[in-house]
Every structure is written in structure tokens, then in C-alpha cells.
Amino acid sequence: MRFGKTLQQSVYPPWKDKYIDYEKLKSMLREDKPDDEDEPWTEEDEKRFCDEIFNTQLEKVAQFQEEKIKELRNRTDEVAEKLKHLNGSAEEAQHDGDDAKEGGVEEASSSKTEEVDKQKLKEIEAELDSITNEVKELQKYSNLNYTGFLKIAKKHDRKRGDRYRIRPMMQVSLSNRPFNSEQAYSPLLNKLSYMYFAIRRFEAPDAGDVLPVDPDSQPETHNGEKYTAHKFWVHPDNLLEVKTYILRRLPVLVYSEQSAKEVDGQQDPTITSLYFDNSKFQLYSAKVERDAEASSLRLRWYGQLSTQPEIFLEQKILHEDGTSEERKFAIKEKYVKAFLDGEYKMEKSVQKMERKGQKAEDVQEFKETADAIQKFIRDNKLEPLVRANYVRTAFQNPGDDRVRISIDTDIAFIREDALDRDRPCRDPKEWHRADIDNSNMTYPFKNINQSEVSRFPYAVLEIKLKEDVNHKRGRPVWIQDLMGSHLVHPCPRFSKFVQGVASLFEDYVNRLPFWLSDLNTDIRKDPQRAFQEEEERRARRAENEQVVGSFLGTKLSSYKPSRSSPVAKSYLAERMASDNAIASPKSGVTSSHNHQPQVTTPGAGDEQGEFSSSQPQQPGQEREINYGTLSSVFPGFSLSKYSKAKRAREAGISSLPPGVTEPKEWIKNSGPLQIEPKVWLANERTFLKWQHICVLLGGLAISLYTAAASSSKGGKHGNVLAQAMGIVFLSVAAFSGGWSWWVLRKRREMIVGRSGKDFDFLFGPMVVAVALAVALVVNFAIAYRQAFEKGHGSHGGHGNHSNVVEMEMGS
């Protein structure tokens, strides 16, 4: 079906004037007319067309989407306020009812109050249904228009591309206006899910306290176990860092000896997935439009097909509630073609299971799965359409499947279809491409037609958490830190099947996935920006939980913004601070036990992980000293974080958030004193080093002074100089001994007092170094002058005596 007809059939009537005018753009492009030399495409025609598509149509769609999403957010906020008022009125009615019972008055209006509450709940739920339906329609609207702009840009380049090409510019414009992005809708959907949860809890209080699943995740079921899957893209520049980060906590999982046997000797197995669809791309369309009970089918095997690996036929079904289910069974290569054609019904596998004495329930389940998949293939006329080839690295603790992580790299999508009967990519009589599998072709597949290959530029990271781990708020801290870091780019509903079809069969489909716009942008992020976005996302989620908690009268959120986070001064922190101020009898007075500001680690959950990304910093805990710089001698010139914070405290400048006061005693100082022996002995070892210097200098000074005083044959000038130098060295030695004793006592006091100040005392070393340098320079200058006088006829005795003195001083 042509896209113009698809657009007409999919238009939402209330918004019919807000869609892209596809027919007008086609008429301006002269799509239905052949190229005519009498009517050439001029620069004025190009200018008129570009002005229409970029300045009129694209702006119209982007502006409508922005206004509509803002309107839906306002309506959602209004419903949230109604929920709060409804909770307040219910509490008042309960209080009045209790008072009436205590006074002996019959309460005849309780049932009436309950009816009013139920009526209001129905009205609120109807409003939520209306908002949800409009959100779904807006998502379809965005996707249709996004596809339309790319389609018309491709038509332009195909017809007028010899002189003008606008598709690259259109891709950039669409990425700058992310109206077809999942991030534009997930916060709103998250808030709606929380309000639905609140209404269900009000109607059925005993339904449990499991919070709604984050729309950025995908619930899945594997072997009867429920998981929550989170998908991300990883840029090649960040791939090594992500792998090493995971390896510190989870080992690499080796699937089996068969999966590890690769031609190139790699340990990570190469996986091939062969996806099925029909000529109308019904499975693709259902998956992109997120229809209920949308399914996908694939054949999957590890390594090269020539090694006769075990082949799995898998069907994934997406249910209406958002969860997915997987059905699969193993099949031998020689039976694949017969099974797909409906000529073989896995009889031999069933007989083998019965001979092994397996349970009748397992045999029956296997037969039902095989029959259901075969019927699904026959009813939808499915055939192999696209191949996905990639290298997978898996991480998992042996025997512990609570956390499962996989990274897929070297992803390539290859056409496997036979849609063009004249030039099929795959032999219609075969179920796979023999030219690839018989030659053991590997990535990057340079030996086939490059128009049949699409290489994905990023790695795909998938984190699967068992449902009990995720829903009990016990997600490991390191997982949460990784998911919110700058190393990964979230892509919640990414599908290799959808990506392969969209990249290789764009002319055959009329819907494109929302993540295509992200492929035209750089997904690498600044760490600080990524941290801010993650904190803001958590703050929005915490606010949604507060809305539900205020309605149910419980506290569902334990979120506390990090002190370094931008949301620490946002609306959420201000609201929390104001609530605390109202609850306390006197604002500005903190409890006696609250000596420590409440500072949380970014990404911290209820369960403490191996380590967190950052910890609260105490004064003096972290410092930066650059020896050999001006700041090491004059701390006032230091630009380190510690020095800045110290100067700010001394100046009385406080950067604490509202409601937090400066502690009088740090938590680190409140416990019993524990000093590590190496710290205490390091102080005494430094003192002994200084005493060694003091003894050396003192011995040299006494030797020099004694030699000069006992010499009677030399000149007076030489004796006086030697004695003076001896006195200088003796003074330096005395200063070294006294300084080292003072430093020893001072550092002992700092250690016992658990001071956070620097232990560097630079005055003493500077004095000793300068004094020795000046003494040596003066000695050298006088010796040089005496040697110069000797060369001009001075007395030999005097010169010899001077040399003796110089030698003694030089020693």
C-alpha cells in the first residue's frame, strides 16, 4: 500500500488539518508527471518546495505536537489534584463519622459518601482513559508524520537528486525536533500509570503494593520466570569501559562448547537470527504500532551453520498488558524446510521424548507449541525476510539468574527475502541464503551486494532483572549507576527485527520506528549532563509516587536528591523542605540527632551495592596537592575543591539546601577513636628522619669549628671564616631538631583530634634548604676569591691553609 493511502486511512478526524499535506508536496514535486524538458526543475521550484516542507509543514506538525503534549500534561496534573482533594474529603468524612459514633449519633450518610467517592473515582478514571487514548493517538500522529517527511524527502532525492539533495538535512531537522521520540511520552505515561495504580488500590486495598513498571522497561517471561528488560545503545568509544565496569561484578558467561567453537577462534559466540514476515510486512507493522498480541518469529543458532549447531525456532508474543511471552523449541537443520512448508510436524522429536520417558505434560506442551507455531506460519504466509548477525558477550553469575546482561556488537542486517522473483536475495526453494552459510561468511560481509547489508553503528546492551529484584526496590546500586550514566543511551523498545526491516525495506513499509532519529545524532554525552538528566528523571518518578502516596495516605517514595544534583534546588526539594518545616514545631530548629546533612549517592537504592559512584565528602577527606607549584607553598592561591570549600566556610558562605543546617560534629568523629598503626608510625618515622639530618649537620658543624680553632699556623682570616661557617651549620642543626620535635607533637594532636587539615608543614624544610644553599654559596664565593689571589702571587702558606680549610668545609 502506498504511503499516501495509509496516511488517509490513519488520520485521526479531530486533527485532520494538522497532518503533513503529503499530496500537496507530491504535486509540488511533480511526482505523477515524467521529467519534461519543456518544464525543467528550476532553482525557484526547489526553493518553493523546501520552504513548504521545512518552514510550513514541519513547523506545523512540530508545533501541534508540542502544544498537544503540553495540554495533556496539564490535564494529567489536574486529575492528580482531583485525586488529592478526593483523599482529603475521604479523610474528613472518616473523621466526622468517628465523631458521630462517639457521640451516639447514627451515621446514615456513610453509604452516601461512599457512593459519591465511587462516582468521583469513575469520573476521574474516565478522564484518565480519555487522556490515555489521546496520548496513543498522538504517538501514532507523530510516527505517521515522521515517516511522511522521510518518504517525501526520499522521493525528492530520487527525482531531483541530480542537483539537490534534502534527505540529510531533513534527518537533521527531525532529530532537532524530537516529536517522534520515546522520551517525549514516557514521563507522561509513567504518571498516568501511577494514577491508574492509585485508583485500583482505592477500589481494592488488598491488591498488593507493587508499583507500576517503568514504561522505559519491557516485562518479559523466560521459562516461567518474569523479568524486566532494559535496552541501551553503547557508542564504540564507550564499549570497553562498559565491559570492564560489568566485569568487575559479573563474570562472562560461556554458553557451551558448541557455541564457543568459532572459525576465527573468538570466545564470544556469533549469533544468527533469521526473522520471518510476509510480503505485506504485517508482523513488522503490528510491532511498530504496538498492537495487542503482536508477534515475531525467528530461527536462531550459534556459530556457523556448517558446524551443524542446534537451531531454535522462537516466537515472541507481546500481550495487551505490555508483557511478552516466548515460545521455542529445537529443530534439526534437515527438518527446517519441511516444517516451514507444513510437511513435517516434529513427529520424530515427539517419539524421542516418549522413548526417553519424559513427562506426558512436557510432551503435550511440546506438541502444542510446535503446532501453534506451524499454524501461525501457515495462516500469515510467513517466510524468511531479514537476517541479523551479531557477536554476543553475556554476563551472569553461575547459578544466579537474578541479573542477566548481554552486549551485542558487530551487528549487521542482511536481506533474506525473495520478494523480487526476478532477482531474489534468497533462493525460494531454500530456507536460508546458501551463499552466506556455505562460504562461512562473517562480519562485515563484504562479498555480497552492499545494498543488501545494513551495519548498525552501535552496540546493544540489554539488562534483564528478575521481577522480584526489580519490584522490591532492591536493584543493585551499580546497575542503577550504569543505567543512568553517560556511557549508555536508553532505547527502551529497540528491536533488531524492526531495525533490520526499517533499514533494508524502507520502500516497502509505511511506518518507521521512533529511534531512527537518534541514529543521526551523536549519542555520546557529557558526564555531568547525563547525571543531571538522570536526577531529573528520578525526581519526576518520585513526584509521581508522592501523588499516589498522598492519595493512599502512605509514603511510597524514599528518593532524596543528591546535594550536587541540580534537582536538589528544584521544585521537588523545595516541596520536601516546606513539608518538613510545616511538620516541625519550630522552623529552623533541627533535632538533636540530626547532625549530618542528608546527602545521598546518585543512583543509590535501598540495597547497598559493592560501591557507589560518589560518597559524601567531609572536609579534608579529599584534597589535591600539586608539589612544585605556587599553591603548595601559599595555600591561599590553591584552586582545588577543598581549598575553595575551606575559603567559603571561613568567609561564612553556605551552599547547603533549604532546611539543612551545618553540623556541629561530623559523624566520623562521633565514634570511638581508632588509629591505624601505620599512621602513628609514619609520624614517628618522619621525626627520626629529621633527627638523622640534625645529627649529620651537627657533626659537620662541630668538626669544622674544632679544626678551625685548633689551627694556629693559618691566617686569622681563614680561622674566622671556618668558625663562622661552623656556627651557621650548628644553628641549622639545632633548628632541625627543634622543628622536628614540634611537628611530631603537632601531628600527634591532629591525629588524636581527627582533624581534617593538611599534615604538610612546609616552613621547616624551606628554612633548612635556604640556609644550606646560602652557606654553600658564600663558602664557594670566598674560596674562589682566595684561589684567585693565590694565582697573583699570594703567600703559599696562607694559600695552603685556606685549601685545607676549604677541604674541611667541603666535607
Side-chain angles (χ1 to χ4, degrees):
M1 184 185 298
R2 292 181 176 274
F3 177 77
K5 189 175 181 180
T6 302
L7 180 62
Q8 292 177 358
Q9 295 178 354
S10 305
V11 165
Y12 184 52
W15 305 340
K16 60 180 180 180
D17 297 332
K18 304 299 182 180
Y19 287 80
I20 178 177
D21 197 339
Y22 195 74
E23 295 300 326
K24 180 180 180 180
L25 292 173
K26 284 179 61 177
S27 63
M28 293 180 64
L29 193 57
R30 305 171 194 168
E31 174 68 17
D32 298 332
K33 299 180 181 179
D35 294 333
D36 191 354
E37 296 181 356
D38 298 335
E39 196 176 357
W41 185 262
T42 63
E43 187 173 348
E44 187 65 28
D45 295 332
E46 180 70 18
K47 183 178 179 181
R48 189 182 305 110
F49 178 82
C50 290
D51 182 71
E52 177 68 23
I53 191 173
F54 287 104
N55 299 332
T56 303
Q57 299 295 331
L58 184 57
E59 288 297 331
K60 175 183 70 175
V61 171
Q63 184 177 359
F64 175 76
Q65 192 272 346
E66 184 178 356
E67 292 175 353
K68 200 64 185 177
I69 199 72
K70 185 177 180 180
E71 175 189 338
L72 293 173
R73 287 173 181 169
N74 292 335
R75 290 174 60 186
T76 305
D77 293 339
E78 291 176 0
V79 175
E81 291 298 326
K82 291 180 181 179
L83 279 174
K84 291 181 182 180
H85 293 317
L86 185 61
N87 179 57
S89 61
E91 291 180 353
E92 291 179 1
Q94 179 69 24
H95 181 69
D96 295 341
D98 294 340
D99 292 344
K101 290 179 181 179
E102 291 177 1
V105 181
E106 293 291 334
E107 182 60 43
S109 61
S110 59
S111 59
K112 184 178 181 180
T113 303
E114 292 179 358
E115 292 178 0
V116 172
D117 291 342
K118 291 182 179 180
Q119 182 65 28
K120 289 182 179 179
L121 274 179
K122 290 182 179 180
E123 294 176 357
I124 291 175
E125 190 171 4
E127 180 67 15
L128 287 178
D129 292 339
S130 175
I131 296 173
T132 304
N133 292 333
E134 286 208 12
V135 171
K136 293 180 179 178
E137 291 295 337
L138 189 60
Q139 285 181 315
K140 294 180 181 179
Y141 167 88
S142 302
N143 185 266
L144 269 175
N145 287 281
Y146 177 83
T147 306
F149 284 116
L150 289 180
K151 290 277 187 181
I152 198 65
K154 189 172 183 178
K155 286 182 180 292
H156 171 276
D157 292 354
R158 184 184 300 155
K159 191 174 183 65
R160 310 299 177 186
D162 53 342
R163 295 179 58 187
Y164 309 99
R165 298 186 65 86
I166 67 170
R167 185 178 172 89
M169 186 166 55
M170 175 59 69
Q171 291 175 335
V172 174
S173 299
L174 290 174
S175 61
N176 292 334
R177 299 173 177 83
F179 56 84
N180 190 46
S181 172
E182 185 76 11
Q183 302 302 323
Y185 299 96
S186 71
L188 182 58
L189 292 173
N190 191 14
K191 194 166 189 175
L192 288 171
S193 65
Y194 271 98
M195 285 190 285
Y196 274 117
F197 167 76
I199 293 177
R200 290 194 300 268
R201 280 290 306 276
F202 188 87
E203 296 174 347
D206 299 331
D209 57 351
V210 177
L211 293 178
V213 178
D214 193 339
D216 292 340
S217 62
Q218 178 82 27
E220 295 182 358
T221 303
H222 297 282
N223 300 325
E225 299 287 349
K226 294 183 179 180
Y227 290 86
T228 303
H230 306 264
K231 295 183 180 180
F232 304 88
W233 292 348
V234 182
H235 194 276
D237 294 350
N238 298 328
L239 182 59
L240 181 60
E241 187 173 356
V242 171
K243 284 187 175 181
T244 54
Y245 183 87
I246 299 173
L247 276 172
R248 294 190 185 102
R249 297 153 183 90
L250 292 180
V252 176
L253 175 66
V254 179
Y255 292 84
S256 63
E257 293 183 3
Q258 180 68 28
S259 66
K261 289 180 180 178
E262 288 290 318
V263 176
D264 53 4
Q266 291 182 354
Q267 183 179 0
D268 296 332
T270 299
I271 301 179
T272 301
S273 295
L274 209 61
Y275 292 98
F276 288 71
D277 209 337
N278 52 33
S279 58
K280 296 182 180 179
F281 295 89
Q282 291 179 343
L283 300 188
Y284 167 85
S285 300
K287 199 169 183 66
V288 172
E289 297 174 9
R290 302 179 187 176
D291 292 343
E293 304 302 323
S295 299
S296 62
L297 185 71
R298 70 178 179 182
L299 284 165
R300 178 173 58 88
W301 64 88
Y302 295 94
Q304 296 294 342
L305 196 60
S306 59
T307 61
Q308 298 181 351
E310 191 175 20
I311 301 175
F312 295 91
L313 185 58
E314 303 173 344
Q315 180 188 10
K316 182 177 286 187
I317 304 173
L318 182 64
H319 296 297
E320 188 174 0
D321 58 357
T323 60
S324 64
E325 179 186 358
E326 189 177 63
R327 303 173 181 172
K328 69 176 182 179
F329 63 89
I331 183 173
K332 293 184 178 180
E333 179 185 353
K334 59 183 178 181
Y335 298 132
V336 172
K337 179 62 177 175
F339 181 85
L340 296 179
D341 294 340
E343 301 172 357
Y344 175 67
K345 296 184 178 298
M346 305 299 295
E347 297 93 347
K348 294 185 178 181
S349 298
V350 173
Q351 295 173 3
K352 186 177 181 180
M353 293 175 66
E354 291 176 347
R355 285 197 305 269
K356 289 184 176 181
Q358 296 191 15
K359 295 180 180 180
E361 295 84 358
D362 297 339
V363 176
Q364 183 64 26
E365 183 181 358
F366 178 84
K367 291 175 60 177
E368 291 177 356
T369 301
D371 292 342
I373 293 179
Q374 194 171 51
K375 183 177 184 300
F376 179 70
I377 295 174
R378 183 177 62 252
D379 294 345
N380 293 278
K381 299 179 181 180
L382 302 179
E383 59 179 329
L385 198 71
V386 63
R387 173 187 298 229
N389 186 274
Y390 48 93
V391 176
R392 169 161 292 184
T393 306
F395 305 88
Q396 181 182 333
N397 280 323
D400 185 1
D401 60 349
R402 291 179 299 172
V403 179
R404 302 167 57 187
I405 300 178
S406 64
I407 299 180
D408 298 335
T409 56
D410 296 342
I411 304 175
F413 302 102
I414 306 172
R415 289 186 61 164
E416 198 90 9
D417 64 287
L419 298 178
D420 188 354
R421 297 300 176 180
D422 297 331
R423 299 180 61 183
C425 298
R426 168 184 53 82
D427 186 355
K429 298 179 181 180
E430 296 288 341
W431 63 272
H432 65 101
R433 289 188 62 164
D435 58 335
I436 296 177
D437 295 324
N438 293 345
S439 61
N440 292 333
M441 199 178 301
T442 57
Y443 186 89
F445 301 96
K446 294 183 178 179
N447 298 331
I448 61 176
N449 189 344
Q450 293 303 292
S451 63
E452 301 172 358
V453 182
S454 174
R455 300 174 186 85
F456 193 69
Y458 306 122
V460 176
L461 168 68
E462 185 173 10
I463 302 175
K464 292 183 179 180
L465 304 174
K466 226 172 188 180
E467 190 177 71
D468 57 345
V469 174
N470 188 49
H471 283 191
K472 288 182 181 179
R473 297 295 183 252
R475 182 183 300 172
V477 175
W478 69 271
I479 289 285
Q480 198 163 347
D481 288 342
L482 177 61
M483 293 169 58
S485 71
H486 67 286
L487 301 174
V488 298
H489 176 77
C491 194
R493 302 184 184 275
F494 177 77
S495 166
K496 294 185 182 70
F497 168 54
V498 173
Q499 175 60 31
V501 173
S503 59
L504 295 173
F505 300 92
E506 185 177 343
D507 294 336
Y508 293 82
V509 296
N510 294 327
R511 294 288 180 90
L512 297 176
F514 64 87
W515 61 74
L516 281 187
S517 59
D518 293 339
L519 290 176
N520 302 310
T521 59
D522 190 355
I523 64 172
R524 290 172 293 186
K525 304 175 185 176
D526 177 72
Q528 180 64 24
R529 178 184 175 188
F531 171 67
Q532 293 176 359
E533 292 176 353
E534 179 65 12
E535 284 291 304
E536 291 171 358
R537 188 188 69 81
R538 292 176 183 171
R540 286 195 299 267
R541 185 179 179 89
E543 186 187 21
N544 296 337
E545 293 178 356
Q546 284 182 348
V547 172
V548 178
S550 62
F551 175 68
L552 299 176
T554 60
K555 182 180 180 182
L556 299 179
S557 175
S558 59
Y559 170 80
K560 297 175 183 177
S562 173
R563 182 171 166 183
S564 59
S565 168
V567 299
K569 298 181 180 179
S570 65
Y571 58 91
L572 181 61
E574 293 176 357
R575 179 179 301 177
M576 294 170 65
S578 61
D579 293 343
N580 292 336
I582 295 175
S584 60
K586 294 182 180 180
S587 61
V589 179
T590 58
S591 59
S592 59
H593 65 275
N594 186 18
H595 294 296
Q596 175 70 12
Q598 294 180 347
V599 181
T600 59
T601 302
D606 293 344
E607 176 183 335
Q608 295 298 328
E610 295 180 35
F611 71 96
S612 15
S613 57
S614 62
Q615 295 292 339
Q617 296 295 328
Q618 310 296 347
Q621 181 178 347
E622 180 181 356
R623 59 188 182 201
E624 300 176 5
I625 298 177
N626 300 318
Y627 290 98
T629 62
L630 187 62
S631 61
S632 63
V633 182
F634 301 101
F637 289 90
S638 176
L639 299 179
S640 65
K641 295 181 179 179
Y642 168 71
S643 299
K644 291 180 178 179
K646 182 179 179 181
R647 290 196 294 267
R649 289 195 302 271
E650 292 175 352
I653 301 175
S654 176
S655 59
L656 296 176
V660 180
T661 59
E662 186 72 22
K664 299 179 180 179
E665 181 183 5
W666 295 107
I667 288 181
K668 68 181 184 67
N669 296 339
S670 58
L673 178 63
Q674 295 180 353
I675 302 174
E676 295 186 11
K678 63 179 182 180
V679 176
W680 191 266
L681 295 177
N683 185 28
E684 297 197 356
R685 187 168 57 249
T686 305
F687 170 72
L688 295 177
K689 288 286 186 181
W690 274 93
Q691 292 301 312
H692 181 63
I693 295 174
C694 176
V695 171
L696 286 179
L697 290 178
L700 175 62
I702 294 174
S703 300
L704 182 59
Y705 186 84
T706 303
S710 62
S711 177
S712 60
K713 297 180 180 180
K716 294 182 179 180
H717 182 73
N719 291 336
V720 173
L721 175 61
Q723 293 177 5
M725 298 304 299
I727 294 173
V728 170
F729 285 124
L730 188 60
S731 302
V732 174
F735 174 81
S736 300
W739 170 262
S740 61
W741 175 254
W742 181 83
V743 170
L744 174 68
R745 304 301 301 176
K746 188 65 176 179
R747 285 177 176 166
R748 281 184 177 179
E749 294 176 0
M750 295 173 66
I751 293 172
V752 173
R754 291 183 280 200
S755 174
K757 297 181 180 179
D758 292 334
F759 281 79
D760 303 312
F761 297 96
L762 302 178
F763 177 75
M766 292 293 295
V767 170
V768 173
V770 171
L772 290 177
V774 171
L776 292 176
V777 169
V778 171
N779 185 23
F780 176 78
I782 296 176
Y784 177 78
R785 188 182 64 179
Q786 291 177 356
F788 182 76
E789 292 177 353
K790 177 182 178 182
H792 288 77
S794 59
H795 297 288
H798 176 74
N800 292 334
H801 179 74
S802 298
N803 290 336
V804 172
V805 174
E806 292 165 16
M807 292 175 63
E808 292 176 351
M809 288 192 296
S811 63

